[in-house]
Structures are given as structure tokens and as C-alpha cells.
């Protein structure tokens, strides 16, 4: 878990782009909004880091100066249970992401595991676990020790990433970090989160299996918060965060990234003060 609940956007907020902000300006601008986390998007990356080391380092030093915790969203072109060549290329993509994460001081690379494909689900899943162990071994041989891998819960039944699978990975593979995408879980289970108890059940399951320290990376959402019909209701999750005294990093991936991150921060504040 983080030192406190932290909030931030997945990627550069639209307004910052309009203002012509450079990457190294982002932490200061987020701080001015009262946000304290930023997820760098490396989602189109190939097998090499697609940013200069010096740019990553200056983002990192600005983030530390402004008390913004960095994470990195890994390449979408990862499938750890495909054909051998696909898996090997996917491993290299993850290592490239971890390398850049290390440069900038990001604590985790969040990523999507892949697709079951035509093979049996449990067989596909074992392949993922083994591939991930290889990635961690490579990271260690390169001296990447402070970056964790955060496989994410996925929204579709043909994607690897049920809550149980992600928890199993966190139990079995070193240097991993739970990443719950609540709106993906909600979608996977056709609207699982209708009341506070539904959120609590997930948190209790995580606590039972991993201990509560590992509920680090929290909420991600795909739709604008005010449209309550989409995705789960953050106010309910906020109650559970407060109840369990959790300190998650909550990343907003709605179209108005930072604005919704601020809203979620304020919702949690209100609940905590109650
Ligand atoms: Zn994702």
C-alpha cells in the first residue's frame, strides 16, 4: 500500500495537453490540482523503451519533488499465453516497460495478461504464471528490483484476469502487485457491485489471501463519474477503503482523467471525515 490513499490520472489530462505541458511539467500541474499519483501510459510500446532515459529520469525527479507517486501502464501488445514467439515478444515488451519504470522510479508496471485462446483455461493460466516468472528473473538479472509487475483484473471472460487468477499470481510470483480494475470486475460479472457489501467481499477475499498490505493499486474506471449507470459506484468503494483503513493508489481512466480523480479524492475525504 501507499503511505496514504493517493489519486491521479491514467495518462496526461486533456487540459494539460491543450496548455502544451511537457512531460516533466505533469507532476507539478497535478500537485497544483491536489493530486498525488500519475500513471504513465506505455500502452503502445514494443520491445524497447519508447522514451529517452533522460526524459524518464526528469519525470521521476519532478515527481519526487512534487510528491507524486508514479506507476506505468504496460504495453497492450502482451499475451503471455499465446504461441511461443508471441510469449517471448511479450516478455521483452514487459521488460522494456519495467526498464523505463526503473528509470522514472515508478513502483509498478500494470499490464494485461492476455487471452486464453483455444487451449484449456487452466493450462493457459499456468503458461502465464511461468512466463511471468521468467520476466521477473530477467528483471532481476538487469538489476530491476524496485519495480513490481501488476497484472490487472480484466473485464471479459476470454481474457486472463479473474480476481482468483490475479490473486494466485500474487501468491506464486515474486515482485508482483495486485491491480484491481473495478470496472473490469464489474463487467466480467455482469454488474457485480451494487452495494457496499459487494465491494467489501472483494476486499475481504484479498485480505484473506494476501494480507491487506497488498491491496495497493486501486480503482480504475472507464466512464465519467457522474454517469452512475456505468461501472461501480466509487462512494461505496470509498466506504470500504475507509473501513479497512486501506491506502490504495487510485487511478482514474475516465475521459476527464484528473477531474474525476479529484472527485474521487473528495468523496473519500468526506467518507473518512464522517
Ligand atoms: Zn489496463
Amino acid at each position: 500500500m501507499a503511505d496514504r490513499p493517493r489519486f491521479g490520472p491514467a495518462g496526461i489530462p486533456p487540459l494539460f495537453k491543450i496548455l502544451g505541458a511537457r512531460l516533466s511539467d505533469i507532476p507539478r500541474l497535478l500537485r497544483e490540482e491536489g493530486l498525488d499519483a500519475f500513471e504513465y501510459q506505455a500502452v503502445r510500446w514494443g520491445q524497447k523503451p519508447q522514451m529517452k532515459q533522460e526524459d524518464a529520469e526528469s519525470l521521476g525527479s519532478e515527481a519526487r519533488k512534487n510528491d507524486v507517486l508514479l506507476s506505468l501502464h504496460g504495453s497492450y501488445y502482451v499475451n503471455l499465453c499465446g504461441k511461443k514467439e508471441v510469449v517471448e515478444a511479450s516478455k521483452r515488451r514487459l521488460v522494456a516497460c519495467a526498464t523505463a519504470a526503473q528509470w522514472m522510479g515508478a513502483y509498478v508496471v500494470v499490464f494485461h495478461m492476455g487471452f486464453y485462446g483455444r487451449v484449456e483455461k487452466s493450462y493457459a493460466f499456468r503458461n502465464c504464471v511461468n512466463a511471468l516468472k521468467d520476466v521477473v528473473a530477467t528483471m532481476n538479472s538487469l538489476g530491476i528490483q524496485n519495480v513490481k509487475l501488476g497484472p490487472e483484473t480484466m473485464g471479459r471472460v476470454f481474457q486472463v484476469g479473474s480476481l482468483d487468477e490475479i490473486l494466485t499470481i500474487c501468491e506464486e510470483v515474486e515482485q508482483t502487485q495486485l491491480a484491481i480494475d473495478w470496472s473490469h470486475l464489474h463487467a466480467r460479472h455482469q454488474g457485480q457491485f451494487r452495494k457496499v457489501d459487494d465491494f467489501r467481499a472483494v476486499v475481504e477475499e484479498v485480505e484473506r489471501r494476501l494480507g491487506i498490505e497488498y491491496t495497493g493499486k486501486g480503482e480504475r474506471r472507464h466512464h465519467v463519474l457522474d454517469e452512475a449507470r456505468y461501472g461501480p459506484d466509487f462512494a461505496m468503494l470509498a466506504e470500504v477503503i475507509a473501513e479497512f483503513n486501506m491506502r490504495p493508489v487510485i487511478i482514474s481512466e475516465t475521459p476527464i482523467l484528473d477531474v474525476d480523480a479529484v472527485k474521487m479524492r473528495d468523496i473519500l475525504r468526506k467518507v473518512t471525515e464522517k
Side-chain angles (χ1 to χ4, degrees):
M1 273 200 260
D3 51 346
R4 58 173 185 269
R6 285 176 175 262
F7 294 84
I12 300 172
L15 186 64
F16 295 9
K17 286 187 186 159
I18 292 167
L19 293 172
R22 293 163 309 166
L23 184 61
S24 58
D25 297 328
I26 305 300
R28 180 179 50 79
L29 292 170
L30 290 175
R31 188 194 175 107
E32 284 168 9
E33 282 189 299
L35 294 172
D36 47 15
F38 178 61
E39 187 185 81
Y40 182 86
Q41 302 295 296
V43 296
R44 314 245 168 251
W45 283 21
Q47 299 179 26
K48 294 259 158 62
Q50 273 162 248
M51 77 191 303
K52 286 194 207 135
Q53 181 167 355
E54 57 179 288
D55 292 341
E57 285 171 353
S58 73
L59 172 64
S61 75
E62 284 303 307
R64 284 185 292 282
K65 214 186 283 171
N66 289 286
D67 189 22
V68 169
L69 186 66
L70 296 178
S71 54
L72 181 144
H73 197 302
S75 177
Y76 288 147
Y77 311 121
V78 164
N79 183 5
L80 295 180
C81 41
K83 287 192 187 125
K84 195 171 180 338
E85 320 82 81
V86 173
V87 174
E88 291 308 315
S90 297
K91 288 182 194 170
R92 288 192 288 273
R93 289 189 180 100
L94 279 176
V95 171
C97 290
T99 302
Q102 165 113 327
W103 290 342
M104 64 177 74
Y107 77 104
V108 67
V109 173
V110 174
F111 70 101
H112 307 172
M113 300 275 289
F115 306 93
Y116 302 109
R118 287 178 194 182
V119 296
E120 209 235 315
K121 275 191 172 186
S122 62
Y123 177 78
F125 179 66
R126 283 335 300 177
N127 286 344
C128 285
V129 170
N130 292 334
L132 217 45
K133 285 181 176 166
D134 292 344
V135 173
V136 172
T138 306
M139 281 165 60
N140 284 329
S141 73
L142 295 170
I144 304 173
Q145 252 110 26
N146 297 326
V147 178
K148 291 187 172 170
L149 292 174
E152 190 179 314
T153 55
M154 297 307 297
R156 300 181 181 246
V157 290
F158 54 81
Q159 293 172 305
V160 183
S162 67
L163 181 64
D164 177 59
E165 286 168 339
I166 299 302
L167 289 172
T168 303
I169 289 166
C170 293
E171 287 163 341
E172 291 188 14
V173 186
E174 297 284 315
Q175 227 171 308
T176 48
Q177 160 82 49
L178 178 66
I180 295 184
D181 183 319
W182 294 91
S183 79
H184 283 166
L185 270 189
H186 194 64
R188 192 172 187 115
H189 301 283
Q190 292 95 39
Q192 182 180 5
F193 299 104
R194 296 203 173 86
K195 45 190 195 308
V196 176
D197 281 347
D198 302 331
F199 288 94
R200 190 183 290 115
V202 170
V203 171
E204 281 172 349
E205 174 70 0
V206 170
E207 185 178 33
R208 191 177 67 73
R209 291 185 52 180
L210 303 182
I212 199 76
E213 311 79 78
Y214 291 95
T215 55
K217 168 99 180 186
E219 162 84 345
R220 331 181 78 237
R221 300 171 59 100
H222 297 282
H223 300 282
V224 179
L225 270 181
D226 281 340
E227 297 177 50
R229 67 203 159 94
Y230 294 118
D233 180 349
F234 181 72
M236 292 183 192
L237 178 60
E239 284 196 33
V240 179
I241 292 172
E243 181 187 324
F244 284 79
N245 233 335
M246 290 156 63
R247 301 187 303 273
V249 178
I250 293 168
I251 299 297
S252 162
E253 50 183 31
T254 67
I256 47 167
L257 304 159
D258 51 332
V259 179
D260 281 336
V262 168
K263 268 190 210 170
M264 290 195 279
R265 181 201 67 196
D266 292 345
I267 290 170
L268 180 62
R269 252 184 215 167
K270 238 191 216 156
V271 172
T272 319
E273 281 160 12
K274 252 201 319 217

